[in-house]
Each structure stands twice: as structure tokens, then as C-alpha cells.
Amino acid sequence: MAAGRQSGIGKFALRQAGKLALLLASACAVTFALISQSPIDPTQAYIGADLLRVGAEQREAIAAYWGLDDPPLQRFWAWMASLLQGDFGTSMIHRAPVSEVIVERFLSSFALMIAAWLLSGILGFAAGVAAAMRRETWLDRAIKWYCYALSSTPTFWAGLLLLIVFTVWLPIFPVGLGTPAGVPAGDVTWLDRARHMILPALTLSITGISNIALHTRAKLVDVLASDYVLFARAKGEEGFLLFRRHGLRNILLPAVTLQFASFSELFGGAVLVEQIFSYPGLGKATVEASTRGDVPLLLGIVLFSALFVFAGNLLAELIYRWVDPRIREGQSE
Amino acid sequence: MNLRTRTLIYAAVALVLLLLPAALSPMLGGDRLATHLAERNEPPSWTHPFGTDWLGRDMFARSMKGLALSLGVGLTAALASGLIAGALGLMAAALGKAADRFITWLIDLFLSVPHLVLLLLIAFVTGGGAKGVIIAVGLTHWPSLARLIRAELLQLKSSEFVLVSRHMGRSNWWIATRHLLPHLWPQFIVGTLLLFPHAILHEGAITFLGMGLSPHQPAIGIILSESMRYLSTGMWWLAFFPGLCLVVLVRSFDVLAGGVHALVDPSRSQE
């Protein structure tokens, strides 16, 4: 039995690693094909603002140095070879290795995303439970209305409204940036950072609530219509006790899985929110890279974000296998 | 009033709300969009229901123009995505194992990168501008609908009434037009309608981020990103009304799509 489970886990890990390798290779190939078909001239992009000071001969020298005249397939293999060695190239905006920029920016985004993710997960779950337990009452209707309205609300507009209310009308929170302006980096306390993070995190979580709330509500409504709940009700259980004994276990796992599977929207939301609040994270770097034409950084971010989404889906699957005895037993056979 | 009449009324109201900006925008050209430095930074009033901006331009006219533009981009992009989804879904289910594997791989690949990052990448690759925005939004909204159509078709193909029909000697064409299409058609229409809200929101998002349309074109995303510089001086109306209009537009599409779904889907129309 134990040996069987061991080999099951080994097989699972192997399969996931294969999936990841295939995904990253595909993503590399497709993005490379897209970029090389684009009307953007790489020499031009490299020269950037020094346009007038670079002559035709220098252009040729640059193209030869970077191998820009080689056939596409050869360039692709060269690029893949350096990627495999961990070399993502140099960001043109930041004048630093892409991997360094991504790691540094991601750490600051990560705090924001985790805060928003936890907040939206907990609030959304609670709202969904409340709506289902008080089905067809004003509370249910209010929560449903809120969820539908929020799913039509663009994240960036919600952010702007919060900005107006909490920094202009009621100046409680700082306007933007990750740290107070004019304070040396060493003197910034974690309290400052937290204060600068509240509004962006709040914006990011408000729009994330509706999905998990509606899903939880639907699941719990199904559970409450089941025979075992009918039986429990007949025994006199009701309210919170009924929910804790029969509802919670059945709806918690799908909700957690859904929340882990939402990493893609979380990343997209972070891009918008960081742009509104000038928060120095990976999302803002994505916008800068694409509007200012920093190809190496953009490619690095595309690959990194694919890895991020994959990690979310993998975690969801792992939790399922770890918690749900049916799947656990099924795999070890 | 039964559910059918109520749904029809809701859908009709939503349709009118959707067409309003397109109908209003030609009437609001010229003078209202020109700069009037004497009436700049005015809060909402009867002559300027949405207020005026820092150049004295009427925000109501700008919002309606922006909505008409968003609607146009959203329609084009959603139609393109709907067609791609339909074609790929059909091909995956009809052309055998290899094609199915390739298309499933393509769907998974498109879903593996955050949607907004994909939009930015494609808009960047196509060189930005209105063209870049339309291509980016049109090329990225098909995967979920394609997956739905593929699954639906595979299920239909192995369903009993299709198998019986085949054994009775019906041709593929007869089965496709009499058995498969009637089931697929509503799914496709509703699925495409449901793409519009996403397409419009994403169009707003990438123009807001500064990808694409030039600052002279009053797209909603551009109006909102411009307004950010003036919010700290208390000019809330610059961001509030255009954004609210966008929410109403998107919500109307949702209501319309829900109404159409309830009317064309036989299993739901009796509720």
C-alpha cells in the first residue's frame, strides 16, 4: 500500500514536470514566432533614443553582434540555449538582467497579490455561504446583485473610485507608490509598506469576490437540497450547526481549488491595479515593457506568468489529492 | 406577467441601452468636443450632465463617443473570436485525433498565460494602435467557447439518437444539419454574445494601460487614464460618469445574453 502510494506520487510528479516542460517550450516557440513576425525592427528597438547618433555601419555591426541576420530557427536555438542556462537577457529599460528585475518586482507584487487573494477568498466564501443559507431573502438578493454588478465592473474603474474616496475626499491612505516619497529605502518601515498596500489590495480583492461567492452559493444550495441535509433537518439541526456538520466539508474543497485556479485573473488584476496606484511590482513592469518595447523583459514576464498560473493549478490539484480521500485512494491502486 | 414577457422586456431595454451611444454619438460631434477654455473644469450641470474637462470639452459627448468606439471594437473582436471558436471547435470534433490533440494543445496554451499579459503581448507584436487592440482582443477570447463547442459536439456524436440515425444509413451531412446544428446553434449564439462583455472590458483595460488608441480618440480607457492626473484636484466626475457608462454597457450585454439564452434554450424557456 505504502509502496503503491509512493510510486503514485512519483508518477504524478513526473507527469506534472513533463506538462510544465511542454508548456514552457510551447510558450517559448509561440512567443518567439510572434515577436519575429512583428513589424518591430530589433536593431531599432535596441538603439532606441540614440537614433541620430548611430550610422548605417554601426547598425550592421549591432545586427551582426546580436546575430540578427541569422535565419530564425538558428536564432531560436541560440535563445533557447541561453534560456536553459538561466540567461533571460538584459532588460533595456532597467539596464539589468531580466531575471533580477522579475524576481525583485515579483516579491513586491507577491505581497499585494497574496493579501488580495486571501481577502477575496475569505470574504467571497463567507458571502456565498450567507447567501445560500438565507436563500431567497433580502440578504441573498443583495449579495447576488453585488456579485453581478461587480462582474461587470472594470477593475481599473473600481480602483479609481477608491482612489477618489480614500485619498481625495477622506485622506486616510497615501495616493500611490510602494513606499513614502522622499524617505530613504533603509528608513521605510513595514508599517509604511502595509499602509501603501491597503488600497491596491482592496481594489484587487473586490472584483475577485464575485466569482468565488457565486460558486460557493450554487454549491451550498445543491448541498442543502440533498437527502442527508433533509434528514439532519428532520433531527432538528439548523443554522450554523447544520452548516458546520454537513455544509462546510462539502463546499470548502471546491472553493479552495477555484481560488487557486484564479491565479491568471489575479495576475491580470495586479497589472491594472499596480498601474493605477503606481505600485512598483511586476504588473507595472509588464505595462512598461510592452508600451516602451522592452522585448527581453516582456518575453521573460510572459514565461514567468505562465509559470505562475501553472503553479496555481498544480497547488489546486495537490490540495485535492491531499484532502479528498476518494482521489487519494484512487491513485494508489 | 410571466417569465417570458419579463425576459423579453429586460432584453429589449438592454438592447436600447446598448444602441443609445451609437445613436447619440453622431449628433454630439463638433462643437461639444472642441475646447472651450471659458467653461473648463465645470462640475456636472444641466448643460453639461457629466461636467467638463480641463480643456472645457463636454464629458457627456466624449463618453458617448468613447462608448460607441468601445462597442465597435468589442463587436468586431467578439465576432472574430466567436468565428474562430466555432471553426476550431468543429475541426477538433470532426477532423480526427491529431487535429483534436493539436487544437486542445492550442486552447491550453492560450489559457496558460494570464489574459491581460497575452493581450499586451499581441497588441505589442502587432505594433499597437486601434488595429493592434482589435487583433489582440479578437484573437484571445475564443479558447473557452471553442472548448465548450468541442465538448458539446463530442458528446452529441456519441449520443444515442445520432448513433441510431447513423445505423439507419443517414449520411454525415444529414446528421450534421438535422441533428447536430439545432443543438449547437443556441450554444454558439449565446456563447458569442457572452464574449462581448469580456471583449469590451479588455478593450477598456488595454487602452487604459496606454496600449493602442491615440489620445485624440475618446476611448473610455483613455478618458479614464487621462482623468487620473486630475483626480487629486477633486474632479471626480471625469472618472465617475464614463466608468459608470461602461458598467451599464457591459451589464446590458449580460442581461441581453441571459435573455436570449432563456428564450432559445428549450430546457430553460419553460421555467
Side-chain angles (χ1 to χ4, degrees):
Chain A
M1 184 72 196
R5 189 175 294 175
Q6 285 283 316
S7 81
I9 289 170
K11 237 186 253 166
F12 176 75
L14 212 64
R15 209 173 50 230
Q16 293 298 325
K19 242 166 86 178
L20 179 62
L22 184 69
L23 164 69
L24 288 182
S26 317
C28 283
V30 172
T31 37
F32 185 86
L34 278 176
I35 297 262
S36 61
Q37 289 302 312
S38 79
I40 297 149
D41 178 15
T43 324
Q44 193 69 43
Y46 180 76
I47 298 167
D50 302 330
L51 190 62
L52 293 172
R53 279 184 278 157
V54 180
E57 283 162 30
Q58 272 175 302
R59 275 169 187 270
E60 272 169 34
I62 291 170
Y65 178 76
W66 291 107
L68 295 175
D69 298 327
D70 296 341
L73 212 58
Q74 197 178 330
R75 277 186 289 154
F76 179 64
W77 289 123
W79 181 57
M80 283 298 275
S82 54
L83 277 190
L84 286 178
Q85 287 161 15
D87 177 12
F88 282 74
T90 309
S91 159
M92 292 191 285
I93 304 176
H94 300 273
R95 304 274 170 202
V98 166
S99 44
E100 259 177 43
V101 176
I102 290 183
V103 168
E104 188 204 319
R105 290 303 192 98
F106 178 65
L107 287 181
S108 116
S109 281
F110 191 65
L112 173 67
M113 288 199 257
I114 279 290
W117 184 79
L118 284 175
L119 199 63
S120 70
I122 294 169
L123 286 182
F125 187 73
V129 168
M133 295 299 284
R134 297 269 175 277
R135 203 177 156 205
E136 305 294 329
T137 62
W138 63 269
L139 184 68
D140 180 31
R141 258 176 241 129
I143 289 174
K144 263 202 307 197
W145 187 85
Y146 170 88
C147 289
Y148 285 129
L150 255 285
S151 63
S152 317
T153 304
T155 316
F156 47 96
W157 187 58
L160 289 181
L161 290 189
L162 285 181
L163 201 65
I164 295 172
V165 173
F166 288 108
T167 65
V168 182
W169 291 351
L170 308 164
I172 309 175
F173 295 111
V175 173
L177 304 175
T179 53
V183 178
D187 296 350
V188 177
T189 60
W190 68 269
L191 198 70
D192 284 330
R193 286 184 196 280
R195 252 167 57 87
H196 279 262
M197 219 179 66
I198 292 177
L199 270 190
L202 208 59
T203 311
L204 194 50
S205 62
I206 325 181
T207 41
I209 288 178
S210 57
N211 195 14
I212 183 109
L214 287 175
H215 185 84
T216 303
R217 178 184 176 279
K219 275 268 175 226
L220 190 55
V221 165
D222 281 351
V223 168
L224 290 179
S226 67
D227 286 344
Y228 56 85
V229 169
L230 190 67
F231 184 61
R233 283 214 165 112
K235 286 195 302 183
E237 285 179 28
E238 57 183 32
F240 187 72
L241 190 70
L242 178 79
F243 166 70
R244 196 171 57 93
R245 283 196 182 156
H246 303 285
L248 185 62
R249 278 161 177 253
N250 283 308
I251 58 168
L252 194 55
L253 196 55
V256 169
T257 320
L258 187 74
Q259 193 66 355
F260 271 106
S262 72
F263 273 25
S264 168
E265 286 95 65
L266 189 66
F267 196 97
V271 171
L272 288 165
V273 166
E274 288 177 10
Q275 178 73 8
I276 297 167
F277 294 96
S278 310
Y279 190 85
L282 196 56
K284 190 135 174 47
T286 315
V287 176
E288 287 164 1
S290 54
T291 48
R292 290 167 59 185
D294 190 344
V295 175
L297 184 59
L298 189 60
L299 284 177
I301 290 175
V302 169
L303 293 182
F304 182 82
S305 64
L307 192 68
F308 181 69
V309 173
F310 182 83
N313 290 335
L314 182 64
L315 281 173
E317 202 158 324
L318 281 177
I319 289 176
Y320 236 104
R321 291 167 64 90
W322 177 54
V323 177
D324 193 331
R326 285 168 300 185
I327 294 182
R328 204 166 51 209
E329 295 304 318
Q331 287 295 325
S332 62
E333 273 165 18
Chain B
M1 190 159 54
N2 69 8
L3 191 76
R4 190 184 171 85
T5 353
R6 208 166 61 203
T7 311
L8 271 175
I9 291 174
Y10 276 166
V13 171
L15 196 64
V16 169
L17 280 178
L18 281 177
L19 294 177
L20 204 60
L24 280 180
S25 106
M27 290 186 262
L28 293 168
D31 187 50
R32 299 182 74 104
L33 284 174
T35 42
H36 296 282
L37 292 178
E39 353 179 298
R40 61 186 180 179
N41 301 347
E42 275 182 22
S45 62
W46 282 111
T47 41
H48 301 289
F50 290 3
T52 61
D53 66 3
W54 59 98
L55 290 173
R57 292 176 291 186
D58 179 50
M59 285 308 285
F60 181 70
R62 296 195 80 205
S63 301
M64 287 305 134
K65 286 263 182 208
L67 284 181
L69 195 69
S70 293
L71 200 63
V73 174
L75 283 175
T76 321
L79 276 180
S81 267
L83 288 179
I84 297 176
L88 287 182
L90 283 178
M91 276 155 65
L95 292 185
K97 272 241 159 63
D100 185 32
R101 243 186 234 141
F102 174 73
I103 288 165
T104 326
W105 168 80
L106 202 62
I107 293 175
D108 286 342
L109 186 66
F110 264 78
L111 292 176
S112 69
V113 177
H115 200 145
L116 207 63
V117 176
L118 198 62
L119 284 169
L120 286 173
L121 177 74
I122 295 182
F124 167 73
V125 162
T126 48
K131 188 190 69 175
V133 172
I134 294 179
I135 295 178
V137 181
L139 277 187
T140 53
H141 283 82
W142 57 269
S144 48
L145 183 59
R147 180 178 276 179
L148 191 82
I149 289 180
R150 171 184 170 272
E152 182 79 18
L153 253 181
L154 287 181
Q155 197 200 348
L156 278 175
K157 267 172 69 180
S158 61
S159 64
E160 279 181 0
F161 64 92
V162 171
L163 292 179
V164 168
S165 185
R166 187 154 306 209
H167 281 299
M168 287 175 137
R170 293 297 188 189
S171 67
N172 279 337
W173 174 248
W174 201 94
I175 292 174
T177 49
R178 310 288 163 90
H179 285 324
L180 303 185
L181 264 187
H183 280 275
L184 229 47
W185 197 233
Q187 293 264 14
F188 178 71
I189 296 285
V190 174
T192 308
L193 270 179
L194 283 174
L195 290 180
F196 287 99
H198 288 277
I200 290 172
L201 284 180
H202 279 130
E203 184 262 349
I206 56 173
T207 46
F208 177 76
L209 294 175
M211 212 59 200
L213 309 172
S214 75
H216 305 295
Q217 279 168 311
I220 291 287
I222 289 177
I223 293 178
L224 287 179
S225 81
E226 279 181 344
S227 79
M228 278 175 64
R229 277 178 276 150
Y230 300 88
L231 291 184
S232 55
T233 53
M235 292 162 70
W236 55 273
W237 57 89
L238 290 183
F240 179 74
F241 291 113
L244 189 67
C245 288
L246 187 61
V247 174
V248 171
L249 185 75
V250 170
R251 192 79 196 99
S252 305
F253 253 123
D254 269 336
V255 171
L256 184 67
V260 171
H261 193 185
L263 292 179
V264 297
D265 187 347
S267 64
R268 284 190 59 199
S269 56
Q270 302 303 321
E271 273 173 17

